[in-house]
Amino acid sequence: MKQIITKNFLLIILALAVVFAFAMKATVFQQKSNVASPAEPAPVQFAAYWFAGKAELSSYRLEQAQYGVLNPGEAVLIFVTEDFRTDKQVKSETADSRDKAIPVLKTNMIRKFATGIYDYSLFTSVFTPIHNPAFPNTLKVSTSGQEWCGHSYIQLNYQNNGYQVAGKSYFEKEVNEAYSVAKTWLEDELWNRIRLDPDKLPVGEIQLIPGTMAARLRHKQLEPLLAQTKLDTYKGVLYPGKFLKAYRIQYPTDDRTLMIVFEGQFPHKIVGWEETYKSKDNVLTSRAVLKTTLQSDYWNHNAPADSTLRKALLSGR
């Protein structure tokens, strides 16, 4: 018994933390959704899914707007929990830093698509504390972009009751960015919020900092914008799954909309999204549709023989 407890000490502590948070009804600074959804899972079920030592990997068929046309590509969403230092805002990797870390849910979103002869690769990471009243805000977002003209990087860190933005880029207007934005909701964190508890998504008229991927593709500086948000039942037939919900975001002053479609029942898997805005002279809708999902400790599968797992993920079979 002692060996079992020692071996699974971190999992036990994390499970107890989640149980405590649910018992205290811990919330973040948001408006309560008035849309009914299936009952949330018991804390033990939540812990069993998210603290089992595996990540959730999902692949999507992608059509991405750029240069006034829709370009075919692929997208991958990775959700995984990890210990995250609140002081340096990086992953805790040593025993000495454990007391400075809290459990977070991390999103990794990867989009790859080709534009004519050359390709784009975009990567966003988002780190959101899990039901932690002491740290209710998403702590960090980082996005990198690579294409044949050059590459760029932008990062937001939660500091001094707001977000500090730092950016570097090949492009002249973004070459060296350093500015602050007021604390408010981040579009990039909403993917994590869906997975943690969609009933706590903000609905109605809110201030929202647009997604870093969209900002980089459109060469826009980050700033809070007025957004109209709505959570309701998805009534279309394009996306796979049952009891689907749709979270819709509209930016009236930016002529951009985003819809994230997800399963209404735990674990609220994201089955696709649509993003509409003007690209050159055309108003286009980028779209991603789920192909397949698997759970894996992917960091332990980096040998050539493990390429079969990658093939299974990306092929959708």
Side-chain angles (χ1 to χ4, degrees):
M1 177 63 71
K2 182 177 180 181
Q3 292 180 339
I4 294 175
I5 293 175
T6 301
K7 184 177 180 181
N8 297 278
F9 180 74
L10 179 58
L11 178 60
I12 294 170
I13 292 299
L14 291 174
L16 290 174
V18 173
V19 171
F20 176 77
F22 272 80
M24 296 300 291
K25 298 181 180 179
T27 61
V28 295
F29 65 103
Q30 66 264 61
Q31 304 170 35
K32 181 69 175 177
S33 169
N34 57 7
V35 179
S37 67
E40 285 304 302
V44 172
Q45 183 186 7
F46 183 95
Y49 190 87
W50 288 116
F51 297 139
K54 292 184 177 182
E56 181 195 273
L57 315 177
S58 295
S59 64
Y60 302 81
R61 291 187 299 273
L62 176 68
E63 287 185 311
Q64 181 66 50
Q66 187 70 343
Y67 302 125
V69 297
L70 290 174
N71 305 280
E74 63 183 30
V76 174
L77 269 180
I78 302 168
F79 289 96
V80 64
T81 57
E82 63 185 27
D83 292 333
F84 196 70
R85 291 184 59 160
T86 58
D87 55 348
K88 296 184 177 181
Q89 296 186 359
V90 294
K91 181 181 178 180
S92 173
E93 297 182 299
T94 63
D96 293 340
S97 67
R98 290 289 187 265
D99 62 339
K100 302 179 181 68
I102 60 173
V104 301
L105 181 61
K106 177 176 70 174
T107 306
N108 282 338
M109 174 181 278
I110 302 100
R111 299 189 202 183
K112 295 185 178 182
F113 57 96
T115 56
I117 192 174
Y118 68 99
D119 53 26
Y120 273 72
S121 179
L122 306 172
F123 195 117
T124 294
S125 294
V126 188
F127 304 84
T128 304
I130 298 175
H131 302 300
N132 193 315
F135 296 94
N137 304 96
T138 289
L139 296 176
K140 182 179 180 180
V141 177
S142 60
T143 289
S144 61
Q146 302 82 39
E147 43 107 348
W148 286 15
C149 291
H151 56 89
S152 65
Y153 182 84
I154 191 167
Q155 181 169 302
L156 291 81
N157 291 89
Y158 182 70
Q159 296 173 351
N160 302 321
N161 205 35
Y163 286 99
Q164 307 301 312
V165 182
K168 299 287 186 180
S169 178
Y170 158 84
F171 298 98
E172 184 177 10
K173 292 182 179 180
E174 305 162 349
V175 64
N176 191 19
E177 297 174 303
Y179 56 93
S180 301
V181 292
K183 177 184 72 176
T184 189
W185 289 96
L186 304 171
E187 180 187 306
D188 284 330
E189 75 178 295
L190 296 174
W191 310 79
N192 275 342
R193 300 294 181 190
I194 287 170
R195 307 311 307 273
L196 292 172
D197 188 350
D199 276 349
K200 293 190 173 73
L201 288 166
V203 294
E205 189 173 281
I206 65 170
Q207 290 290 311
L208 189 62
I209 298 173
T212 49
M213 241 182 226
R216 272 308 191 228
L217 281 175
R218 301 165 72 207
H219 301 289
K220 288 182 174 284
Q221 183 169 309
L222 296 175
E223 61 177 339
L225 297 179
L226 178 68
Q228 299 286 347
T229 61
K230 182 179 181 181
L231 176 61
D232 56 15
T233 300
Y234 174 72
K235 298 178 181 178
V237 296
L238 179 61
Y239 299 98
K242 298 180 179 179
F243 309 110
L244 298 182
K245 298 287 186 179
Y247 186 64
R248 306 171 195 271
I249 304 163
Q250 181 181 12
Y251 296 96
T253 62
D254 195 34
D255 295 325
R256 176 173 166 262
T257 62
L258 173 65
M259 178 179 71
I260 306 172
V261 183
F262 62 94
E263 294 178 345
Q265 296 179 332
F266 182 82
H268 309 301
K269 181 169 61 179
I270 291 172
V271 299
W273 63 87
E274 296 179 3
E275 183 182 14
T276 302
Y277 56 80
K278 190 173 184 179
S279 177
K280 282 195 172 181
D281 295 327
N282 298 320
V283 176
L284 299 172
T285 297
S286 301
R287 182 176 289 108
V289 180
L290 179 68
K291 292 193 295 185
T292 192
T293 297
L294 58 88
Q295 288 183 295
S296 173
D297 54 339
Y298 64 86
W299 48 91
N300 291 324
H301 298 285
N302 47 34
D306 296 319
S307 61
T308 56
L309 295 174
R310 178 177 177 82
K311 182 178 180 181
L313 175 66
L314 298 181
S315 67
R317 293 191 294 271

